[in-house]
Amino acid sequence: MEEWVGFKWHEYITRQALGEFPEHAVCLKDEARTLGVLFRALGGDPALSLVTAEPRHFQIRRRLLQKLAGTHRKFELAWRDDQSLRLPERLALFPDKQLNRELYLWLAALAATDSQEHPDWFTANQQRVQHLLAHWPGLETMYQRLVRHTLQWRPDPDSLPEAEAQRERALRQALIHPGSVTRLPRATTDPWPVILWLYPVLGKGKVSGQVIDDDANSRPGGLAKKNKRRQAERVDGFDRDQGLMIFRLESLFSWTEFIPVDRAGDDTEEEDAEAVADDMDMISISSDRRETSSAIKFDLDLPSEENDDLRLGPGIHLPEWDWRSQGYREKFCCLQPMLSRDAVPSPLPEALKRPAQRLRRQFSALKPLKQWQRRQTEGDELDLDACLDREVQHRRGSGVIDQKLFRRCQLSQRDLACLILADVSLSTDTYINNHQRVIDITRDGLQLLSEALQASRDPFALFAFSSRRRDHVRFHHIKGFDEAYTDISRGRIQALEPGYYTRMGAAIRQATRLLQARHEHQKILLLLTDGKPNDLDLYEGRYGVEDTRMAVQEAHKAGLTPFCVTIDDDASEYLPYVFGSNNFVVIRDPAQLPLQLPKLYMNLTR
C-alpha cells in the first residue's frame, strides 16, 4: 500500500511540475511524413534523415515543485548536422494540439534555411528566423502565434535575479523582434531553453557555456526513430573481483549504474538496458573484452582462400564518391568477382515448379513474333494488295505506278537487356514470419524471375554482392549475358549465403560497366536489397547513401534504367533521394517478393 501511495504521489507531483498538456500531445512519428515533405519543399537537404533529438542537460533555476519532482533538468530541443535533422520525440507544451503541430512545422522550416551560420548561437538563430520570414512571409502569422504562447511558457523576468532577468528580457526581445538584440547577457545559470530555435550540434558547441553536451559519435537513424546519444566517459577495465564497493562509500554503484559496455558485443541479456541507459547521466565505457568477446555469435573476418569462393582475377579497382569533399576517390575500392566453390548443378525446387510453369506461359507471349512487312521492293512473296492497287493504277492510266509489290516476313525483337543485382549481406540472414529467411526469399525470387526471363528470351545476367570494407567488395557471378540459364545457374543461386556488409555503390558501378557493353537499346539494372548501404569503415550513414546515389546517377548518364526492389520498411526515407521517386518499390510483405518480381519486370519493360 505504501508503495502504491508513493507511486501515485510521485506521478501527481511530476505531472504538476512538468506543466505540459498531455491530452494535446503531438508525436514526431505521426508528423514525420509531413515534416519531411515540408523540409525538402523549402529547400532542405534531401539527404538528411529525420530522427528524434536526445535530451540535453541544463542548469536552470527551477521552482521547488520542479526540484521535488526531479524535472526540468533535461530538454529535447531541435538541432541538425550533416547527417540528420533532430526534433523532439513528443510536443505537449501548448494547450492546443494544432499549436504543438505548428511548432513541429516551424522547427522543420527553420532547419531548412540555408542562411550563413554565425558562430554565436544567439545571433545565428535570429538571422535564421529573419531569413526564413523574408523568403516565406506567409509563415509570419504562425511564428507570432507561437511566440505569444512561448512567452507564456517561459519564466517571468520579474521573478528572477537581476542578471538572469536581463538575459530573459533579451531573449524575449529577440523572439519578438528577431535581429534586434546583438548580445546575450551572461548569468551564472543556463538560459531557459528557447523551443523555437535550433541548438548547436552536440559535441561541437555549448549554449552560454553551461549546457552539458552528449557524445557526438552516434550514427543517424531512420525517419522518426529513437536514436538518442548519451553522455559517456572512458574508464579503465572494471575489476569484478573487487565487487561493487570501490574505495569509498560514495563510490557505491548499483549493477544498473555501471554496465561494462563493449563496442564489440552484439547482444545483451538485460532486457531493460535501453531504459536503464535513458535514466543514466553518464555511461562508462571500458576496453575490457574478457567476457563480451565470448558473446560474439559470428566472425566477420574473411575465410582462408582455400575455404572461400573462387576468385575470378586479381580484383577491379573502382572509384568512390566522397560527398564531404565533393569529389571521387580514385581506385578507392577493390571489387573481387567470385564464383561459388560449393555450388552443384541443381534442378528447380519442387515448390517453385508450379508458379514457374505459370510464369513461363505468361512470358512466352513476349517472345519474338513473325510480322509481315508489306509493300517492299523485294521479299519472300508477292503482296496481293499491292499488286491489285498497281493493276487499278495501270488501267486508270496513272503516270506513277508503285513498284513495291512484295512482302517480307521479319521477327519483332524486344531490344532490351537486364542485369539483376542481389544484396546478400548478413542482414539477409534474418527471419521473416519466424519461419523463412530473407536470403531464402531472395533465392526464390531470383529463380522465378530467371525462369520468366528465359521464356521471354530477353538477355539477362545475375550477380550478387556483399562487402567487408573498401578493399574487399564481393561480386558473386551467377549467370552472365552470354551464358544459358541451366541447372548450373540454378545451383549457384541455391548456393548463395548471407555474409558481410552492403557497399552498394561499388556493386552498382560494376553492374553499370557490364550493361554498358551490351548493344541493346534499353538496359535495365534491377537491384534487390533489404536495407541501407553500410560497411565497417566510413561507409555508413550519409556517406554510403551519397555514394550510392552518385552511382545511380552515373548509371542514368550511361543510358541505363536503374530500379530498386526492397523489403525495407524504412526505404521511403532514403530511396526517393537515391533512386528517384518513381524508380523503386517497397514490397510490404516480403514473402510475396518471388511472385511480385516477374510482375514488376513486366511492368517495367512494357
Side-chain angles (χ1 to χ4, degrees):
M1 183 65 181
E2 292 180 359
E3 291 183 359
W4 182 83
V5 172
F7 174 77
K8 289 298 182 181
W9 174 253
H10 174 73
E11 189 179 55
Y12 173 76
I13 291 296
T14 303
R15 185 169 61 250
Q16 295 298 318
L18 284 175
E20 294 185 344
F21 303 90
E23 65 276 12
H24 299 294
V26 178
C27 295
L28 180 59
K29 64 179 181 180
D30 299 326
E31 304 297 324
R33 185 177 297 275
T34 301
L35 297 177
V37 172
L38 175 66
F39 178 74
R40 291 164 177 82
L42 297 184
D45 191 341
L48 297 187
S49 57
L50 181 60
V51 297
T52 56
E54 47 280 322
R56 296 176 183 238
H57 291 260
F58 280 77
Q59 297 175 2
I60 62 175
R61 186 173 298 278
R62 297 185 294 164
R63 299 194 302 270
L64 177 60
L65 187 61
Q66 296 166 348
K67 292 180 180 180
L68 288 175
T71 60
H72 292 75
R73 293 185 298 112
K74 300 178 182 179
F75 294 86
E76 291 184 3
L77 301 169
W79 61 279
R80 59 166 289 182
D81 58 10
D82 293 335
Q83 302 283 346
S84 58
L85 166 61
R86 296 180 179 258
L87 298 177
E89 185 178 11
R90 172 179 170 273
L91 288 178
L93 301 176
F94 303 138
D96 185 348
K97 194 169 186 177
Q98 181 60 29
L99 277 174
N100 290 315
R101 182 175 291 108
E102 287 181 356
L103 179 54
Y104 267 135
L105 296 173
W106 170 257
L107 292 173
L110 192 64
T113 58
D114 55 355
S115 59
Q116 186 71 23
E117 187 69 20
H118 194 279
D120 176 46
W121 161 85
F122 179 71
T123 305
N125 274 287
Q126 293 184 77
Q127 292 179 350
R128 191 180 287 114
V129 172
Q130 287 180 301
H131 182 273
L132 178 62
L133 296 180
H135 283 77
W136 306 100
L139 296 175
E140 176 74 34
T141 302
M142 183 178 72
Y143 174 70
Q144 294 299 336
R145 184 163 56 247
L146 289 172
V147 168
R148 287 196 303 271
H149 286 83
T150 299
L151 296 182
Q152 296 174 10
W153 176 75
R154 298 186 63 81
D156 185 356
D158 296 334
S159 65
L160 300 175
E162 182 59 28
E164 296 178 24
Q166 291 181 5
R167 185 182 59 190
E168 178 61 27
R169 293 188 183 96
L171 282 170
R172 287 171 171 261
Q173 179 68 17
L175 283 171
I176 299 172
H177 301 291
S180 61
V181 185
T182 59
R183 187 181 64 87
L184 183 65
R186 293 184 177 275
T188 57
T189 60
D190 290 335
W192 195 273
V194 185
I195 58 176
L196 296 182
W197 287 355
L198 300 182
Y199 273 67
V201 175
L202 289 177
K204 290 189 177 181
K206 298 183 179 182
V207 181
S208 298
Q210 296 293 334
V211 179
I212 303 175
D213 290 335
D214 295 342
D215 180 36
N217 294 325
S218 68
R219 297 171 181 173
L223 185 63
K225 281 187 175 179
K226 195 170 184 179
N227 186 23
K228 297 186 177 180
R229 302 184 181 188
R230 275 103 180 174
Q231 189 175 0
E233 64 176 358
R234 189 171 297 278
V235 298
D236 295 333
F238 178 53
D239 191 352
R240 298 177 185 271
D241 297 334
Q242 293 183 3
L244 298 182
M245 186 72 72
I246 303 178
F247 302 118
R248 296 179 304 172
L249 185 62
E250 295 90 331
S251 300
L252 181 64
F253 292 94
S254 70
W255 176 244
T256 58
E257 289 175 332
F258 198 113
I259 304 176
V261 179
D262 189 281
R263 295 282 183 175
D266 179 60
D267 291 336
T268 177
E269 297 180 358
E270 192 167 354
E271 296 180 358
D272 60 344
E274 183 175 0
V276 170
D278 286 338
D279 293 335
M280 295 169 62
D281 291 338
M282 180 75 69
I283 297 179
S284 299
I285 302 173
S286 77
S287 58
D288 182 8
R289 301 193 177 192
R290 288 177 296 175
E291 291 196 9
T292 52
S293 59
S294 63
I296 302 178
K297 299 183 178 179
F298 48 83
D299 185 7
L300 290 180
D301 288 337
L302 298 174
S304 59
E305 190 168 351
E306 58 269 18
N307 295 323
D308 200 2
D309 291 336
L310 298 173
R311 301 193 178 195
L312 306 178
I316 302 170
H317 291 281
L318 297 171
E320 190 166 272
W321 175 257
D322 187 349
W323 69 275
R324 296 167 300 188
S325 63
Q326 291 295 297
Y328 284 99
R329 294 183 169 189
E330 297 297 335
K331 297 183 178 180
F332 190 69
C333 296
C334 181
L335 182 138
Q336 179 61 62
M338 310 194 79
L339 192 65
S340 176
R341 187 188 298 268
D342 300 328
V344 294
S346 304
L348 189 68
E350 191 67 29
L352 300 180
K353 287 185 177 179
R354 179 170 294 181
Q357 185 178 8
R358 183 172 63 252
L359 288 171
R360 281 193 291 266
R361 287 198 302 267
Q362 294 174 354
F363 276 72
S364 62
L366 303 178
K367 285 182 179 179
L369 300 176
K370 289 184 178 181
Q371 290 186 345
W372 287 98
Q373 293 183 327
R374 302 176 60 243
R375 298 184 183 275
Q376 304 293 313
T377 55
E378 56 183 25
D380 302 327
E381 58 186 47
L382 289 172
D383 186 343
L384 296 182
D385 291 336
C387 292
L388 182 60
D389 291 342
R390 181 183 184 281
E391 182 64 22
V392 171
Q393 292 174 4
H394 175 69
R395 293 191 177 187
R396 286 181 177 179
S398 301
V400 179
I401 298 178
D402 190 2
Q403 300 297 327
K404 298 180 180 180
L405 305 178
F406 297 90
R407 68 175 186 168
R408 181 171 54 207
C409 183
Q410 190 174 26
L411 292 177
S412 61
Q413 298 288 341
R414 280 166 55 89
D415 192 19
L416 62 88
C418 179
L419 188 148
I420 300 102
L421 185 61
D423 170 13
V424 291
S425 59
L426 191 62
S427 58
T428 60
D429 197 33
T430 57
Y431 278 82
I432 301 296
N433 300 328
N434 297 323
H435 68 277
Q436 194 173 21
R437 295 186 302 167
V438 174
I439 187 66
D440 300 327
I441 296 173
T442 301
R443 292 196 202 104
D444 292 349
L446 290 176
Q447 296 202 91
L448 287 183
L449 180 58
S450 299
E451 296 291 332
L453 294 183
Q454 184 187 33
S456 70
R457 296 186 183 178
D458 290 341
F460 70 99
L462 298 172
F463 294 90
F465 74 97
S466 60
S467 66
R468 187 181 183 275
R469 296 191 175 93
R470 65 183 180 90
D471 56 351
H472 190 78
V473 181
R474 303 165 69 88
F475 198 73
H476 299 269
H477 180 99
I478 302 174
K479 176 194 174 300
F481 282 108
D482 299 328
E483 298 178 50
Y485 182 69
T486 63
D487 285 348
I488 296 177
S489 304
R490 297 185 183 97
R492 291 173 183 169
I493 293 176
Q494 295 176 24
L496 290 176
E497 288 295 337
Y500 312 105
Y501 298 91
T502 317
R503 209 174 198 96
M504 202 173 288
I508 292 177
R509 288 187 176 93
Q510 178 62 13
T512 299
R513 291 186 176 188
L514 296 175
L515 273 172
Q516 278 185 292
R518 300 295 300 177
H519 63 274
E520 284 81 7
H521 176 70
Q522 186 179 6
K523 304 168 187 177
I524 298 173
L525 172 55
L526 188 61
L527 175 67
L528 310 181
T529 183
D530 68 331
K532 295 179 70 172
N534 69 90
D535 209 332
L536 279 173
D537 51 16
L538 77 168
Y539 206 84
E540 187 67 58
R542 185 171 182 179
Y543 184 98
V545 169
E546 291 286 357
D547 176 63
T548 303
R549 179 173 184 261
M550 184 58 67
V552 171
Q553 291 181 351
E554 294 167 13
H556 278 294
K557 292 177 182 178
L560 277 59
T561 303
F563 193 87
C564 180
V565 180
T566 183
I567 60 173
D568 184 9
D569 291 334
D570 300 322
S572 57
E573 305 164 20
Y574 57 91
L575 282 187
Y577 179 70
V578 176
F579 281 87
S581 57
N582 297 322
N583 293 325
F584 76 95
V585 65
V586 180
I587 306 296
R588 298 300 178 185
D589 183 5
Q592 296 298 315
L593 176 66
L595 296 178
Q596 293 297 325
L597 268 182
K599 296 179 182 178
L600 289 171
Y601 177 83
M602 185 173 288
N603 292 334
L604 195 61
T605 61
R606 181 170 295 169

